[in-house]
Amino acid sequence: MNKKRSALSPRLERIDLDHIVDSEIDRLEPHESYDSERFTAFDLSDRDLTGTAFTECEFRDLSADNADFLAASFVDTRLDGLNSPRFQAPRSRLRNVEINGSRLGSVEFYEARWQSVHLSDSKVSYINLRFAELTDVLFSDCIIDELDMRGAKANRVSFVNTTVNSLDFSESKLQNVDLRTLELRRISGGAESLKGVTMTPYQASELAPVFAEYFGITLIEDEASGQRGR
């Protein structure tokens, strides 16, 4: 008899920022590197920071509406209180990053690489993670209207006390993706896209129409049971 195996949990590394120093936002330029700096209560809206690299940095109460972080790198970095109706960071790299207490609108992370990333206590309208690579990622205490992971590769990804209204796994390749404490309203991609996902029996029953479509099953309400319930 095969033993049931739970999904492997994300392996998150601790971020040590005790040695960082306060810095000025005016120093930031595209394609430059910044180490061990803290940026507090600044506005980066509409700034071009393409290819910028941040290592062991911290951002507090940052506004970044439509700032361009194309191909930027965030390593051992924390973002607290990020506010951005439009956040642009396609093809970026996040390794050992925490994003906490943030309010985001449309977030573009397509073709990005996330490793050891924790998004917590945040509200997001739309996250574009199409064709991204996610390893060791945790979403906790978040409300996300739409999470688009079409074509993504994901391993050890978990959702804890989080609500996602619409989730798209179309063409994705998933391993150890734990949805058991996720409140999920709608999922796209068909039953074949759910390979590698762990969920509860109740969640699986809620997705009965998805599985029925995949296997060519016609679902018809039991008229006898309906009459008994009258």
Side-chain angles (χ1 to χ4, degrees):
M1 181 178 178
N2 294 330
K3 294 182 178 179
K4 293 181 179 180
R5 295 186 302 170
S6 297
L8 297 177
S9 299
R11 303 166 186 170
L12 302 179
E13 301 178 20
R14 181 178 178 274
I15 300 177
D16 182 8
L17 300 177
D18 293 338
H19 57 289
I20 63 176
V21 298
D22 292 329
S23 189
E24 294 295 326
I25 208 79
D26 291 340
R27 295 186 59 248
L28 299 182
E29 296 291 340
H31 303 290
E32 296 293 335
S33 298
Y34 302 91
D35 297 339
S36 305
E37 299 184 48
R38 177 187 294 113
F39 304 94
T40 303
F42 287 117
D43 190 345
L44 278 176
S45 297
D46 298 315
R47 290 278 295 273
D48 180 9
L49 292 172
T50 302
T52 307
F54 300 97
T55 303
E56 296 185 349
C57 289
E58 183 177 43
F59 295 88
R60 293 181 178 175
D61 301 323
L62 177 71
S63 294
D65 184 27
N66 208 37
D68 190 353
F69 288 96
L70 172 67
S73 174
F74 300 85
V75 178
D76 297 317
T77 293
R78 180 182 298 127
L79 297 93
D80 279 330
L82 175 62
N83 182 11
S84 181
R86 296 165 297 174
F87 190 79
Q88 310 285 336
R91 304 188 182 95
S92 57
R93 173 176 175 248
L94 278 65
R95 184 171 67 81
N96 203 23
V97 170
E98 295 177 1
I99 304 173
N100 180 61
S102 298
R103 297 295 178 266
L104 304 169
S106 177
V107 182
E108 299 291 339
F109 276 113
Y110 61 83
E111 299 177 15
R113 288 178 294 159
W114 286 19
Q115 181 178 358
S116 185
V117 174
H118 186 189
L119 177 63
S120 64
D121 191 27
S122 297
K123 186 174 183 180
V124 190
S125 295
Y126 172 70
I127 305 180
N128 183 353
L129 283 166
R130 289 191 172 199
F131 301 98
E133 296 182 14
L134 288 73
T135 306
D136 298 313
V137 175
L138 174 62
F139 298 87
S140 65
D141 301 299
C142 292
I143 299 175
I144 302 171
D145 288 336
E146 185 176 355
L147 177 55
D148 189 347
M149 291 178 59
R150 176 184 289 270
K153 295 179 181 179
N155 188 18
R156 296 190 297 273
V157 176
S158 292
F159 299 82
V160 176
N161 298 327
T162 289
T163 298
V164 175
N165 289 325
S166 178
L167 176 58
D168 191 346
F169 279 147
S170 302
E171 304 173 35
S172 58
K173 296 181 179 179
L174 311 176
Q175 299 179 63
N176 301 299
V177 175
D178 195 343
L179 307 181
R180 286 176 294 177
T181 63
L182 173 67
E183 184 178 342
L184 180 60
R185 306 288 170 78
R186 186 171 67 87
I187 193 165
S188 302
E192 68 277 9
S193 70
L194 298 176
K195 184 178 180 180
V197 163
T198 298
M199 61 177 60
T200 66
Y202 174 76
Q203 288 173 317
S205 69
E206 290 291 292
L207 293 174
V210 175
F211 297 124
E213 180 180 0
Y214 180 69
F215 289 108
I217 298 172
T218 300
L219 297 179
I220 299 177
E221 184 179 354
D222 188 337
E223 295 181 1
S225 64
Q227 290 174 355
R228 287 195 297 271
R230 291 177 182 175

